[in-house]
Amino acid sequence: MVIDKHKMLEYCNEFSKNTLMETLKIEFIDAGEGFLVAKMPVNSSVHQPMGLLHGGASVALAESVGSAASHFFINDKNQEVRGIEISANHLKSIREGFVIGTARIIHKGRSLHLWEIKITDEQGNLISLCKLTNMVLTKEIK
């Protein structure tokens, strides 16, 4: 599969408009063979009450980047992707700056995709480690 990085990033950032990804200011910033990267600002809008990055915001970043990455392995004319399971281990806290989510394919089957998503801070410290399973469905013709 030949990857056109710029087209992939443009596509991902375009379909994020008017969604949770736009609300969280998630921006897709890098792509390549078997991986996709997005960043999200850490500020009060994604904090939990103690002023730290909310685990749910981390999971939203992980599912966003992993689900978007699965789109590059399907025929979007007759297939669609659904996240069916996500797990997250939150290992370090962060109060400000950016977090970067990098999704890497672990298993690419016809009906299931398994992704590992590492969320790091700007210095490369691991904040959360996530695993996402996506199901590939045939679109219903209406």
Side-chain angles (χ1 to χ4, degrees), residues 63-137:
E63 185 154 1
S64 297
V65 71
S67 292
S70 275
H71 280 90
F72 298 102
F73 294 125
I74 66 168
N75 177 342
D76 64 355
K77 290 186 184 1
N78 61 10
Q79 293 178 308
E80 55 193 5
V81 174
R82 295 285 184 278
I84 60 171
E85 182 177 15
I86 189 163
S87 65
N89 294 98
H90 305 299
L91 306 168
K92 186 175 170 84
S93 58
I94 182 173
R95 291 183 185 277
E96 59 185 18
F98 282 89
V99 285
I100 295 98
T102 302
R104 294 195 182 277
I105 191 75
I106 295 171
H107 171 77
K108 181 182 74 160
R110 284 179 286 131
S111 59
L112 290 177
H113 296 167
L114 179 62
W115 294 92
E116 175 187 75
I117 301 99
K118 289 184 178 179
I119 298 175
T120 61
D121 63 16
E122 294 169 279
Q123 291 73 43
N125 297 307
L126 188 60
I127 304 298
S128 297
L129 180 62
C130 306
K131 185 177 71 173
L132 171 66
T133 306
N134 289 329
M135 179 182 290
V136 179
L137 300 171

Side-chain angles (χ1 to χ4, degrees), residues 40 42 45-49 51-60 90 94:
M40 179 179 72
V42 179
S45 68
V46 294
H47 282 170
Q48 40 91 312
L52 302 170
L53 175 63
H54 193 293
S58 296
V59 170
H90 305 299
I94 182 173

